[in-house]
Each structure stands twice: as structure tokens, then as C-alpha cells.
Amino acid sequence: MTTAVRITDDLVRDAKIFSKIDKRSLTGQIEHWARIGKCAEENSDLTYSLIKDILIGIAELEQGESSEYKFG
């Protein structure tokens, strides 16, 4: 389901720039920022880098890319 949301021209301009860098659609870039922000609010002790790595790991698992971790 999609919902129309009003956002500022400044946010759209910034999202257009970052979407080109990261090869995402404009909508995809804003959704990415929303996911990062949601995770940051729910886990204020985590760094941006760790949040991004966790989201990458989740995406890899969803794509079936996983391997067993061997300790030691």
C-alpha cells in the first residue's frame, strides 16, 4: 500500500543527490533514511555504521545469502 506524504523541497533535493550516489530511486532513498532513523531511535546506543551493517545482514539473509560463522 502506498501513501502520499508531503516532504520539504530541501529533503527531496538531498534525497535526489544521495539516491544517485547509492543507485537508489528517490523513494528508495527516503525509505532507506526512514529505516535507518527508525533503527536509531529504537537503538540509541548503536552507531550508524553498525545499524547499516545490520540492515545489510538482514537483506543478505532475505536473499538467501548466509554462511555458518565459526568461532575461534
Side-chain angles (χ1 to χ4, degrees), residues 5-63:
V5 177
R6 290 180 187 243
I7 56 176
T8 65
D9 290 339
D10 290 341
L11 181 61
V12 171
R13 185 182 62 248
D14 290 347
K16 283 181 181 179
I17 292 168
F18 279 85
S19 70
K20 289 180 182 178
I21 294 168
D22 292 330
K23 306 284 192 253
R24 293 187 182 100
S25 67
L26 177 59
T27 300
Q29 184 64 43
I30 293 170
E31 288 174 346
H32 171 72
W33 283 345
R35 278 190 302 276
I36 296 283
K38 183 177 182 284
C39 287
E41 283 192 353
E42 293 173 347
N43 304 281
S44 60
D45 55 325
L46 299 181
T47 64
Y48 167 76
S49 179
L50 188 53
I51 290 170
K52 192 170 179 180
D53 287 344
I54 290 168
L55 293 175
I56 289 169
I58 290 169
E60 288 174 344
L61 284 173
E62 289 172 350
Q63 294 292 320

